[in-house]
Amino acid sequence: MASPMELSCWGGGWGLPSVHAECLVVMTYARFSGAPLKVNVIDNLWRAPRGSVPLLISDDTVISQPTNILNFLRKQKYNADYELSAKEGADTLAYIALLEEKLHPALLHTFWVEVDNYYSVTKPWFASRIPFPLSWYLPGKMYREALNRILLTKGQPPLYSLTEVEAQIYRDAKECLNLLSSRLGTSSFYFGNIPTTLDAFVFGFLAPLYKVPFPKVQLQDHLKQLPNLCRFCDDILSCYFSPNISGPSPIGLEAVDANLQKLTQLVNKESNLIEKMDDNLRKSPQHPPRKLTTLKLSAAGEGNSPLNRLSP
């Protein structure tokens, strides 16, 4: 029997299963696809085999990065995009690229580079989950990695100063949020009533921004002005991460309900067919039942009756 798949990730807070966006993407996709992951909350990155999270371990295979992990889960037959068309699959890739380019830098800045947010929320939260003395070192290391990533992707001409970079990444993020809101509309998910990879990525990036109580809320305020995106986050939290949900994934319960519904429909169909056959039989021409001829035995012939001959 294969060993269970284990996911190493940062823990949760403020009603979220994880406050780390990329960890939340993987956890959400696992819920959508029904992948039975054993979640291990880590207290420092150095315990991870490759020094980064999220990290999926299956037998002797170790996978990092959300995209690689999701591809591995699909190969294990846990595919949340099974019903998507080729065009919808292409749209998924385009929107994920948009999230990475336009929204992720602003998310990193909100958590790690914005001074008030970092010292009042981000650093205390992560430091409280990291043992001493690493709690003094790792938050600063994560801050420097976030800043370097922002400057690497956005700090190019004509943006030379950090102030100019900050202004640009927040403009890009707000445009991205507006586009996501317009694309979602009044639907439950981005491709109808079934959650897919795109929904997992959008939720993973939006939910921490929506739920964490930052003192500097420039991007958070803009998100809260888009009620359909807020509803989207709230619905996924209540449907897929409710404390009342037991088991590895609520999708398993949905599968059981779906099978039960199909069985009920099949029984109803058979019942309707039987009723129809019964109605047809009732409406078909019927011949009156034949009366059996009753033979009268004469008194004289009673002695020669075979019944009498059989009598003792």
Side-chain angles (χ1 to χ4, degrees):
M1 182 178 179
S3 59
M5 294 181 289
E6 298 186 10
L7 178 69
S8 297
C9 63
W10 286 107
W14 300 289
L16 299 172
S18 176
V19 300
H20 189 267
E22 293 178 331
C23 293
L24 192 54
V25 168
V26 177
M27 295 173 71
T28 305
Y29 181 88
R31 292 295 176 115
F32 289 167
S33 64
L37 298 185
K38 179 183 178 183
V39 177
N40 296 324
V41 176
I42 64 170
D43 56 10
N44 71 74
L45 293 177
W46 289 351
R47 290 189 179 181
R50 294 186 181 176
S52 63
V53 290
L55 199 74
L56 183 69
I57 302 174
S58 178
D59 294 328
D60 296 329
T61 305
V62 180
I63 310 104
S64 61
Q65 301 298 324
T67 302
N68 296 335
I69 294 174
L70 268 55
N71 287 337
F72 177 82
L73 292 177
R74 292 188 191 99
K75 292 178 182 178
Q76 308 305 310
K77 310 303 181 184
Y78 299 107
N79 189 357
D81 301 339
Y82 183 77
E83 297 187 11
L84 295 186
S85 65
K87 181 182 182 304
E88 290 170 335
D91 288 345
T92 297
L93 296 177
Y95 273 97
I96 291 175
L98 179 71
L99 288 168
E100 293 285 356
E101 181 183 354
K102 300 293 186 181
L103 187 58
H104 199 197
L107 186 63
L108 291 174
H109 189 278
T110 300
F111 266 86
W112 295 101
V113 182
E114 179 60 58
V115 175
D116 290 343
N117 293 347
Y118 175 74
Y119 282 105
S120 63
V121 176
T122 308
K123 183 179 179 180
W125 189 91
F126 280 90
S128 67
R129 285 153 177 80
I130 301 172
F132 182 83
L134 292 178
S135 59
W136 286 86
Y137 171 74
L138 280 183
K141 178 177 180 289
M142 296 168 73
Y143 152 75
R144 290 187 293 273
E145 289 176 348
L147 180 59
N148 290 336
R149 184 168 177 177
I150 291 172
L151 294 177
L152 182 63
T153 56
K154 297 294 183 180
Q156 301 173 358
L159 305 176
Y160 293 100
S161 69
L162 182 58
T163 303
E164 291 175 329
V165 172
E166 290 174 356
Q168 183 62 49
I169 63 176
Y170 279 108
R171 281 196 299 269
D172 289 346
K174 290 176 181 179
E175 291 177 3
C176 181
L177 290 177
N178 292 339
L179 182 59
L180 291 173
S181 175
S182 176
R183 176 64 179 81
L184 179 63
T186 58
S187 301
S188 299
F189 302 105
Y190 278 91
F191 295 108
N193 296 320
I194 301 175
T196 63
T197 298
L198 179 57
D199 299 287
F201 268 89
V202 174
F203 175 77
F205 281 38
L206 293 189
L209 184 63
Y210 175 46
K211 291 294 185 179
V212 178
F214 294 113
K216 288 292 184 68
V217 292
Q218 178 184 170
L219 194 57
Q220 191 177 67
D221 281 348
H222 188 81
L223 172 59
K224 290 183 177 180
Q225 293 173 10
L226 303 170
N228 63 337
L229 293 182
C230 297
R231 171 191 54 78
F232 173 81
C233 293
D234 289 331
D235 288 348
I236 290 178
L237 280 172
S238 62
C239 292
Y240 292 91
F241 294 101
S242 171
N244 297 326
I245 295 176
S246 60
S249 170
I251 201 73
L253 298 177
E254 292 178 359
V256 172
D257 291 340
N259 290 336
L260 181 59
Q261 184 178 6
K262 289 180 181 178
L263 180 60
T264 303
Q265 291 174 349
L266 181 61
V267 171
N268 291 337
K269 184 177 180 180
E270 294 292 337
S271 177
N272 292 335
L273 181 61
I274 292 173
E275 290 180 1
K276 186 175 180 180
M277 291 174 61
D278 189 45
D279 290 339
N280 290 338
L281 286 174
R282 287 190 181 125
K283 293 177 182 178
S284 62
Q286 299 291 326
H287 297 285
R290 294 181 179 179
K291 294 183 180 180
L292 294 176
T293 304
T294 304
L295 297 177
K296 281 190 175 183
L297 295 177
S298 60
E302 288 180 0
N304 297 324
S305 170
L307 295 176
N308 289 337
R309 289 199 298 267
L310 290 174
S311 300

